[in-house]
Amino acid sequence: MTRFALAAAACLCALPVTASEITFEQVKIDAGKTLFEAECRRCHAVEPTDASYGPPLENIVGRGAGTYENYDYSIALEASGIVWTPAALRAWMEDNDGFMPGTKMRHVGIEDRTVQDFILSYLVSITTQDNSAISK
């Protein structure tokens, strides 16, 4: 085989893996969106322009807890110093009262780690800005 043929064969073999990974990630995001709508949307919107009881969750990953402007957070959440990393969001989803006593949020825990993974994939997908400056 020529170098060109070997390179072309290598590229063709790599395409299904890449396409498969992209498809798998999109499936996780789509499942996460569906689960978000079922579990979280009754209180949280994604877009700041949509009505919700809780703060909007667009750009939540990497944002400091209690920092979304013009939302009346509990003292516990505002003073926590927590940054919403995937691990912190997972702990919050599972048991927000145990994770941070004194918050205002009423919540039924999402204990299934697969469901958490899917919701986290969706939340990451709707985080389009770098929140590191907000988190400090």
Side-chain angles (χ1 to χ4, degrees):
M1 273 190 170
T2 67
R3 275 193 213 153
F4 177 74
L6 286 172
C11 287
L12 289 175
C13 289
L15 283 177
V17 172
T18 302
S20 169
E21 290 172 0
I22 291 169
T23 301
F24 181 66
E25 189 57 33
Q26 190 58 55
V27 167
K28 286 173 37 180
I29 292 168
D30 292 345
K33 182 177 183 180
T34 300
L35 291 164
F36 176 88
E37 292 293 327
E39 298 292 329
C40 312
R41 178 58 187 109
R42 67 186 136 225
C43 296
H44 290 281
V46 172
E47 302 285 333
T49 55
D50 293 340
S52 66
Y53 295 110
L57 297 184
E58 178 184 52
N59 294 312
I60 187 70
V61 179
R63 185 167 78 200
T67 61
Y68 186 81
E69 288 190 29
N70 300 319
Y71 183 78
D72 184 27
Y73 289 98
S74 65
I75 293 170
L77 195 60
E78 276 186 350
S80 71
I82 290 174
V83 173
W84 290 123
T85 63
L89 287 163
R90 181 184 299 281
W92 181 267
M93 280 189 269
E94 189 166 329
D95 180 15
N96 67 297
D97 287 332
F99 179 67
M100 189 178 307
T103 64
K104 298 187 318 184
M105 182 174 161
R106 296 176 136 189
H107 186 261
V108 176
I110 300 170
E111 295 178 5
D112 186 316
R113 291 190 62 84
T114 302
V115 173
Q116 293 171 5
D117 286 342
F118 290 150
I119 293 173
L120 284 169
S121 290
Y122 176 63
L123 293 176
V124 167
S125 80
I126 62 171
T127 298
T128 59
Q129 70 183 26
D130 176 7
N131 289 318
S132 59
I134 299 170
S135 301
K136 293 180 180 175

